[in-house]
Amino acid sequence: MSEAFARANSYTEEDYYNLPENVHAELIDGQIYYMAAPSRIHQKILNAVNNTIFNYLRSKGGPCEVCPAPFSVRLFPENDKNVVEPDISVICDPGKLTDRGCTGAPDWIVEVISPGNSSHDYVRKLNLYMDAGVREYWIVDPLSTKIFVYHLEETSFKADSYTFQDKIKVYIYDDLWIDFKALGL
């Protein structure tokens, strides 16, 4: 379950990086949200989708990298109050990659919903990713077996809904499809 740790003053990136290593959390708008360990199905989905993206990117060459969680993303370079750990981040600008993770918006983010934190991914993070300039955002919901795809670019904002029986076109690439039925989930 995602839960904010309230504090009169807001937290910063420095506070986030000073958390104990075994603590899984995100910093959003200066508040720390603790996260529970992911379930087996969560990890199965993350691995299957990440492997598909990794194999595609490797076959194409180029600058894009896929990074699965845990991987820190400081969404706004000028703001130290937002550090998230998306389940999967695709970054096509190598200049955004640092030793700590990514500084700036990834091109594509995939989040796999865990029970108890759905509003965190559906509302809070959707708005945050849109404001940061993420081009495409996928929410994969194992309980409903649905995938929600958000095209967040200003000129083409669009939302689509799919199931685990669908083959889904990745908007930011011309020839990448994720076939959820073939993933055997």
Side-chain angles (χ1 to χ4, degrees):
M1 176 180 290
S2 179
E3 184 179 320
F5 183 73
R7 177 174 154 176
N9 298 319
S10 65
Y11 291 96
T12 66
E13 178 182 22
E14 181 180 346
D15 298 315
Y16 170 82
Y17 282 114
N18 284 323
L19 291 171
E21 254 185 65
N22 61 341
V23 172
H24 191 57
E26 295 180 307
L27 175 66
I28 299 176
D29 295 328
Q31 295 300 304
I32 293 177
Y33 292 85
Y34 293 96
M35 300 182 300
S39 67
R40 186 185 63 78
I41 189 66
H42 179 283
Q43 294 304 92
K44 184 176 181 179
I45 293 166
L46 185 145
N47 285 330
V49 173
N50 185 72
N51 288 342
T52 302
I53 298 166
F54 177 84
N55 291 332
Y56 170 83
L57 293 176
R58 184 170 18 166
S59 75
K60 295 296 181 178
C64 297
E65 287 190 34
V66 60
C67 301
F71 180 77
S72 296
V73 175
R74 182 178 179 180
L75 288 166
F76 305 96
E78 69 287 347
N79 174 332
D80 69 348
K81 305 244 184 244
N82 291 286
V83 181
V84 294
E85 288 189 11
D87 289 315
I88 299 172
S89 301
V90 176
I91 300 106
C92 295
D93 178 354
K96 291 181 179 180
L97 296 171
T98 69
D99 288 342
R100 284 194 157 166
C102 176
T103 299
D107 294 273
W108 177 24
I109 289 177
V110 178
E111 294 282 10
V112 181
I113 298 293
S114 295
N117 79 340
S118 61
S119 67
H120 189 66
D121 291 324
Y122 280 110
V123 179
R124 185 176 291 117
K125 286 175 130 181
L126 170 61
N127 287 305
L128 188 66
Y129 294 160
M130 189 168 40
D131 291 344
V134 173
R135 296 171 57 202
E136 186 164 353
Y137 176 43
W138 288 25
I139 299 174
V140 181
D141 189 337
L143 291 176
S144 68
T145 64
K146 291 192 177 179
I147 302 99
F148 299 92
V149 176
Y150 298 90
H151 312 280
L152 301 178
E153 294 182 296
E154 288 181 29
T155 58
S156 59
F157 180 87
K158 185 177 159 188
D160 295 306
S161 175
Y162 301 92
T163 73
F164 279 27
Q165 299 301 306
D166 292 323
K167 186 175 183 178
I168 305 169
K169 167 83 172 70
V170 178
Y171 180 71
I172 65 168
Y173 294 108
D174 292 331
D175 58 350
L176 175 57
W177 295 76
I178 307 283
D179 188 346
F180 274 80
K181 187 174 185 177
L183 295 178
L185 305 169

